[in-house]
Amino acid sequence: MNKKTKAISFSSAVLMAAFLWNAQSHAAEMGDNQAPLMVADISAANTFNLNLKKPKSRNLPPAEDGIHDPENEATHSLQHPLDAYKGLPPSDNGNYVDWVKAIDEGKLRPRWDRFDPNAEPFVMDLDIVRPVKASVPDVVFPHRQHTEWLYCSNCHPAIFVPQRLANQISMSAILLGQKCGVCHGKVSFPVETKTCRKCHSKPKPADWEPPLSEATLKNPWK
Amino acid sequence: MSSKIKRNVLKSMIIGVLAYMGALGVPQPAQAEYADIVINNYADAAGMRPAVFPHWFHRIRFRCKVCHTDLGFAFKAGGNKITMAKIIDGKFCGACHNGEISWSVENCAMCHSGIPGQPTHFHGSTVQRLIAPAYKPLQTKDTTK
């Protein structure tokens, strides 16, 4: 048993003792017919944001990030992310760095070839518009930002067939790590409310109205 | 204020302090960088700490294409079955970690720096958050002892 596990089991024992003591005193008070004074009587089930677990801190140094072992000496010589991110444009999610903007603004120049620092990427500037059934704006896929980082064969033809109407893409597939989700939600910007409009960026035509569902069309009481 | 209520106030204050101290000992979920990968295909079994791959560190220096096209890394955490034998032959990490572009393999603990016992996982992954049980370091380890 190492120090950490000892400390944890000690504190949990203390916590359990505290609960038992509290419950006992509660029972005694009920017998006395007095209003009990409890620490937390409000059910935790009814608090706000039950499933919203926001990180309390961001960009922690490797030794404090919970996956690196602080007992390993070399952990302490690894670079601190915040040192590396100095001067890079910020964003609201992921690493809290806007990687695409960083390249566009020339603040970052990652190598395209591992040996040749002057090799230039093969950039293709072609936007693909994908109409969306639902009422969210249509998707514009920009090849430019993607080819700054990736090569054609990274996506074609294994993930996306390079042909119009040949790819079935849905948000559920993306959230499960397929199609765009092979990278988005893992390395490139995550899939969350704040990033919807990065892809869903082309407003529907002015005369567009959401198609009525079949249940509405067949509704006998309409 | 009757002595009973006073005693109750004192009691709840002590309980509060104890609960707070207890909460400090509870292991916190990992707050590593987005896209950090822990790779533990074989490391634990070989008596090494799992390797940690930070995407952020590498993408500052190289574009995705360098590893995911030139070096043949598949887009799958733990899916490349990297072994030290492959690395010393210049494959995968060994293409750069050879003392020429980056540090050489004798700096074992620089990569093998993860907390032992962690499974292979992708930190900050949407897929992992939605379908796999949330990874909690230390907790599983504690219950077995």
Side-chain angles (χ1 to χ4, degrees):
Chain A
M1 218 182 196
N2 61 22
K3 249 185 201 170
K4 209 175 269 171
T5 46
K6 245 183 207 171
I8 292 165
S9 51
F10 172 73
S11 48
S12 52
V14 167
L15 202 60
M16 273 179 67
F19 279 134
L20 284 175
W21 185 19
N22 195 0
Q24 227 172 22
S25 66
H26 189 188
E29 276 154 10
M30 290 313 266
D32 288 359
N33 227 357
Q34 246 193 11
L37 188 67
M38 298 291 289
V39 186
D41 252 349
I42 304 157
S43 161
N46 295 323
T47 54
F48 276 94
N49 300 333
L50 255 190
N51 297 318
L52 186 67
K53 290 183 188 87
K54 277 200 167 181
K56 281 181 205 135
S57 41
R58 52 163 80 166
N59 306 122
L60 294 174
E64 294 165 28
D65 69 2
I67 62 171
H68 284 91
D69 192 349
E71 286 169 28
N72 171 30
E73 260 178 53
T75 297
H76 301 276
S77 54
L78 296 171
Q79 190 173 29
H80 191 314
L82 285 182
D83 290 340
Y85 298 165
K86 261 176 207 150
L88 298 181
S91 86
D92 287 334
N93 35 53
N95 300 111
Y96 305 102
V97 169
D98 193 330
W99 296 104
V100 168
K101 208 171 164 194
I103 283 199
D104 286 349
E105 291 180 351
K107 293 188 172 140
L108 199 62
R109 231 186 103 76
R111 282 188 191 179
W112 178 253
D113 184 279
R114 69 182 190 279
F115 298 112
D116 181 7
N118 297 316
E120 287 294 326
F122 174 70
V123 178
M124 181 170 85
D125 196 356
L126 171 68
D127 285 354
I128 305 289
V129 177
R130 286 185 63 91
V132 176
K133 265 189 249 162
S135 63
V136 288
D138 289 342
V139 170
V140 178
F141 171 82
H143 270 96
R144 185 185 67 80
Q145 287 90 319
H146 290 83
T147 47
E148 290 270 8
W149 291 97
L150 293 152
Y151 194 65
C152 318
S153 62
N154 285 136
C155 308
H156 302 306
I159 303 172
F160 298 105
V161 182
Q163 190 190 328
R164 226 174 80 82
L165 306 175
N167 298 285
Q168 271 267 334
I169 305 177
S170 70
M171 284 315 294
S172 17
I174 294 172
L175 288 170
L176 293 176
Q178 290 162 346
K179 303 292 171 188
C180 318
V182 170
C183 299
H184 286 284
K186 288 189 194 135
V187 180
S188 36
F189 68 75
V191 186
E192 48 180 66
T193 318
K194 279 187 182 170
T195 58
C196 293
R197 280 185 181 276
K198 282 189 162 214
C199 307
H200 291 273
S201 55
K202 190 179 179 237
K204 296 270 202 242
D207 59 343
W208 189 89
E209 277 194 30
L212 291 173
S213 57
E214 207 174 318
T216 305
L217 293 171
K218 284 185 184 164
N219 187 352
W221 296 290
K222 86 179 161 186
Chain B
M1 205 189 230
S2 78
S3 64
K4 183 140 197 184
I5 293 179
K6 244 187 214 168
R7 216 176 57 217
N8 272 337
V9 169
L10 187 72
K11 205 185 267 184
S12 14
M13 272 170 70
I14 292 171
I15 289 169
V17 168
L18 285 177
Y20 180 71
M21 280 165 60
L24 283 180
V26 173
Q28 298 295 308
Q31 293 182 16
E33 276 300 295
Y34 183 66
D36 274 5
I37 305 182
V38 174
I39 305 168
N40 196 357
N41 285 341
Y42 317 109
D44 258 7
M48 282 299 286
R49 291 186 172 88
V52 178
F53 175 82
H55 262 105
W56 63 268
F57 183 95
H58 290 83
R59 74 181 298 179
I60 287 174
R61 291 153 179 87
F62 301 98
R63 308 204 188 214
C64 320
K65 172 254 183 191
V66 173
C67 301
H68 290 295
T69 305
D70 299 353
L71 305 183
F73 277 94
F75 294 124
K76 177 100 183 77
N80 291 291
K81 301 188 173 160
I82 305 166
T83 59
M84 286 316 292
K86 290 177 190 170
I87 291 174
I88 58 174
D89 284 343
K91 298 199 178 98
F92 296 116
C93 322
C96 294
H97 285 278
N98 52 10
E100 282 169 35
I101 297 174
S102 184
W103 70 61
S104 183
V105 286
E106 72 270 18
N107 300 289
C108 316
M110 294 288 271
C111 301
H112 288 276
S113 56
I115 296 169
Q118 296 179 94
T120 299
H121 73 283
F122 211 109
H123 193 82
S125 159
T126 319
V127 182
Q128 232 166 242
R129 202 173 59 229
L130 291 178
I131 52 176
Y135 172 67
K136 293 186 184 80
L138 292 175
Q139 241 165 32
T140 44
K141 225 175 124 195
D142 190 46
T143 47
T144 53
K145 280 185 183 175

